[in-house]
Amino acid sequence: MRSQRRLAVAVTAATLIALAGCGRDSGGGQDEARSVSDGKATGEITVWAMGTEGEKLGAFAQDFMAENPDAKVTVTAVPWDAAHQKIASAIAGKQTPDVSMVGTTWMGEFAKTGTLDPTPTDLVDKASFFPGAWDTTVVDGTSYGVPWYVETRLIFYRKDLAQRAGITELPRSWEELTAFATAMKQKAGAESGLYLQPGGTGSWQSFLPFAWSNGANLVDGDRLTLDTPELTEAAAYYRSFFADKLSTTIDLGLQGSLEQSFVDGKTAAFISGPWHIGLLAEQGGAGFTEKFGVLPMPRRKSATSFIGGSDLAVFKDAKNRDGAWKFVSWLSRPQVQVKWYQTVKDLPAVQQSWQDPGLAGDPFLSAFGEQLKDAKSPPPMATWEQIAAVIDAEVERVAKSGTDPGAAVKAMQERAGSVGTGG
């Protein structure tokens, strides 16, 4: 999946050592935000951006330069699979750009190096962003960036199979989701009534929404809290889909067969992000869009999904700090966010942008917009990629081996506890 591919970049021990030894002050809640000067931006603003964003941002910035004729935005496109190491090396060598895209789950790690500039409090209104998106920028109470674009997860399902199964009301709770998946399998003939990722890289993104919806918190201060009753119950619920054979234990995403399985009706439903709207329409062919819909995450104590995307951060070593923040502020304008969506299909992090007819009038996208109001990301921590790998491994044991949920979350706590939060 798109976000998994982007963010599943391993953090090597060498990188951590390099960051720890780079000689910077520790960041995360110990910095005071400084204001930005009045007036137009001037001078060169260097920006690193990844993937399609890196390819398109340079041309997109022409409008900013038209408004700020004495400024020049220079964008360096960085491949996603090299981005983490490139940023880490730049921090260690004090060769950072003025601005960089930063994956949301990387914010804690990079903020802790003390190299990110706190977000000026008078630059943007944090209330204008989706709360879960803004939280990805906050480390130990201080914001170190601005959300640029977002994505979240919904349940894609086959409407024609639901009709065949006699489903007249869509599921809104855990119990109803289990009944929904059971009917899809037993009455509509699907092999998986609801496909859940059975472990492997990034499976925490499918599992943790159930834990969050059950009231679980991953940390208490700097202490990990993975062995709670709330997480145990979520693991038991996740396991039930495999124990009851409502989900295959084959990793369809890893095989590259998820979309075709959905088109063929073998998979009746699965959890994923907005990029699958286009993928399914393309793979299913003419008219297939009419055969599927999206559902919000089921409610327990809440109906919380995962929020991903990317933030924009300015470095303390920026040669053009004021210009950098003015460019970030410009990218956060509602109308600019809409135009950026029209350019690369990145969903806006600014809530007002979702009033645009192109977003509000699309039944698929508007559903994602609603879910974004109740979505969260793991708490920023320097060691998140290592913690995520621990959770992925235990999710796999629960799904494929039927490991007792209590034993699995205890193992999560023990293994992740030995890693720590890096705080």
Side-chain angles (χ1 to χ4, degrees), residues 26 30 86 88 94 99 122 135 154 182 219 278 329 347 360 378 382 384 395 414-415 423:
S26 63
Q30 301 177 24
K86 186 174 178 65
K94 299 185 178 182
V99 185
D122 55 353
D135 287 346
L154 293 175
T182 302
V219 295
S329 177
L347 297 181
W384 173 249
V395 168
E414 290 177 352
R415 294 178 57 201

Side-chain angles (χ1 to χ4, degrees), residues 198-199 239 391-404 407-412 415:
R239 186 183 67 164
I391 297 174
D392 287 344
E394 293 305 320
V395 168
E396 185 160 322
R397 290 208 308 143
V398 165
K400 293 186 176 180
S401 303
T403 297
D404 176 74
V409 301
K410 183 179 180 181
M412 284 184 198
R415 294 178 57 201

Side-chain angles (χ1 to χ4, degrees), residues 111-192:
K112 290 287 187 180
T113 67
T115 57
L116 301 187
D117 195 48
T119 309
T121 55
D122 55 353
L123 183 75
V124 294
D125 178 9
K126 71 176 186 180
S128 66
F129 298 87
F130 288 105
W134 183 263
D135 287 346
T136 67
T137 73
V138 178
V139 180
D140 295 342
T142 299
S143 172
Y144 289 94
V146 170
W148 187 13
Y149 64 84
V150 293
E151 55 92 353
T152 189
R153 309 300 161 82
L154 293 175
I155 300 172
F156 286 75
Y157 75 102
R158 284 283 298 266
K159 293 194 293 188
D160 55 336
L161 295 186
Q163 185 175 18
R164 189 184 305 170
I167 296 170
T168 56
E169 292 188 12
L170 296 174
R172 298 296 180 187
S173 66
W174 281 15
E175 293 78 9
E176 291 176 2
L177 183 62
T178 297
F180 171 86
T182 302
M184 286 292 215
K185 180 179 178 67
Q186 295 180 351
K187 297 180 180 178
E191 293 177 3
S192 290

Side-chain angles (χ1 to χ4, degrees), residues 32-45:
E32 286 192 14
R34 294 182 292 139
S35 297
V36 174
S37 66
D38 295 329
K40 294 181 180 296
T42 60
E44 184 180 24
I45 303 163

